[in-house]
């Protein structure tokens, strides 16, 4: 997809995830909205995946370490054909595969996540296996910024640098809000970029809701041979819904009927804008 198509697709995914959360009456709304652009860039432009062969050995791996923000991932996997779109209607229902965290019983999910701090360590193992096997695949691990308070993240960071895993890409959804408030009030993280550099990682800081910047950063990996890459994706929690942006309450707020209608109206206008721009560019 070109950039305009990716932006239109992100608006479509946000529409689907809000509709799904509203129907289920549960979900982590704010973080799923903030990470949608990241996942859209990865799955529709950057990563090598095949919905018909979810266990293809040379596929790129994606680990959602911030597993609670799974709604955008479910919508993308369904849209790509890893499982039927109709199954989205079962989200968080009794007996469903589509629970509130990634579930590896679903094609396209590499590991169960939810307890924060575990995803990067497993991603290090995946990347180390690729390096030792001489396999070409890359491993992308999405973490939350509140997750950076977990000690296991930093143990994994040391291991990634020690083994020179340049096929490994850590991504931090740096929206600066977590369930109990600002990350800097709950557990100060700054200077976060300098900490990752000190642990031996190549750090790239971008606007994590800027599709061009995301594609450019991900396509450049590995930018430095022998070093894992950390993409500091500075995002807006609740991105795409004007009245949800940067509002801590929307961490797991379920939109009511009026909020959903207003949000879908905004997203429809956004999708139409980028679809129209893509058509103009294609003429």
């Amino acid at each position: 997809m070109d950039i305009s198509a990716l932006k239109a697709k992100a608006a479509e995914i946000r529409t689907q995830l809000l509709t799904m959360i509203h129907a289920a009456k549960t979900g982590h709304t704010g973080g799923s909205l903030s990470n949608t652009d990241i996942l859209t860039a990865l799955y529709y432009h950057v990563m090598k995946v095949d919905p018909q062969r979810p266990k293809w050995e040379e596929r790129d791996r994606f680990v959602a370490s911030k597993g609670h923000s799974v709604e955008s991932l479910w919508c993308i996997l369904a849209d790509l054909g890893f499982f039927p779109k109709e199954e989205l209607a079962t989200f968080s229902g009794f007996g469903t595969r589509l629970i509130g965290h990634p579930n590896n019983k679903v094609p396209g999910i590499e590991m169960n996540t939810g307890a924060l701090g575990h995803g990067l360590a497993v991603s290090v193992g995946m990347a180390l296996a690729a390096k030792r096997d001489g396999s070409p695949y890359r491993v992308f691990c999405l973490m939350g910024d509140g997750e950076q308070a977990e000690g296991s993240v930093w143990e994994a960071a040391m291991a990634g640098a020690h083994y020179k895993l340049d096929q490994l890409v850590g991504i931090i959804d740096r929206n600066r809000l977590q369930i109990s408030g600002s990350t800097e009030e709950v557990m100060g993280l700054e200077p976060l970029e300098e900490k990752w550099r000190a642990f031996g990682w190549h750090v790239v800081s971008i606007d994590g809701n800027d599709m061009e910047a995301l594609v450019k950063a991900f396509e450049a990996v590995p930018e430095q041979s022998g070093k894992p890459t950390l993409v500091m994706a500075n995002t807006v929690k609740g991105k795409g819904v004007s009245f949800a942006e940067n509002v801590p309450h929307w961490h797991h707020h379920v939109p009511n009927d009026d909020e959903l209608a207003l949000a879908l109206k905004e997203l429809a206008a956004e999708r139409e804008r980028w679809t129209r721009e893509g058509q103009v560019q294609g003429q």
Side-chain angles (χ1 to χ4, degrees), residues 25-26 46 52-54 58 70 72 87 115-116 133 136 140 148 150 171 175 179 184 197-198 206 274 278 280:
K25 296 182 172 55
T26 186
V46 176
Q52 304 306 314
R53 296 182 296 161
E58 294 188 5
V70 73
S72 47
E87 195 170 345
L116 296 175
D133 290 345
F140 297 87
Q148 304 306 294
E150 300 282 354
I171 309 160
N175 58 41
I179 190 169
E184 299 313 295
R197 289 191 181 97
I206 60 171
W274 293 116
V280 170

Side-chain angles (χ1 to χ4, degrees), residues 190-199 203:
E190 296 297 344
L192 190 54
E193 291 179 32
E194 286 81 352
K195 289 175 182 175
W196 278 91
R197 289 191 181 97
F199 273 69
V203 177

Side-chain angles (χ1 to χ4, degrees), residues 14 18 33 236-247 250 259 262-267 270:
R14 287 186 169 99
L18 284 171
L33 290 169
V236 174
K237 195 151 192 171
K239 180 66 175 178
V241 178
S242 62
F243 50 90
E245 292 184 353
N246 286 319
V247 180
W250 276 79
E259 289 169 335
L262 183 55
L264 297 189
K265 182 178 179 180
E266 291 184 1
L267 289 166
E270 181 77 0

Side-chain angles (χ1 to χ4, degrees), residues 176-188:
R176 292 174 168 77
L177 290 173
Q178 57 191 105
I179 190 169
S180 47
S182 160
T183 55
E184 299 313 295
E185 293 174 345
V186 176
M187 179 65 69

Side-chain angles (χ1 to χ4, degrees), residues 185-230:
E185 293 174 345
V186 176
M187 179 65 69
L189 301 175
E190 296 297 344
L192 190 54
E193 291 179 32
E194 286 81 352
K195 289 175 182 175
W196 278 91
R197 289 191 181 97
F199 273 69
W201 288 56
H202 172 61
V203 177
V204 179
S205 183
I206 60 171
D207 179 344
N209 297 124
D210 182 325
M211 196 63 71
E212 293 94 335
L214 286 163
V215 168
K216 181 180 178 181
F218 293 143
E219 284 186 335
V221 175
E223 195 167 348
Q224 286 195 16
S225 179
K227 275 191 173 187
T229 297
L230 188 283

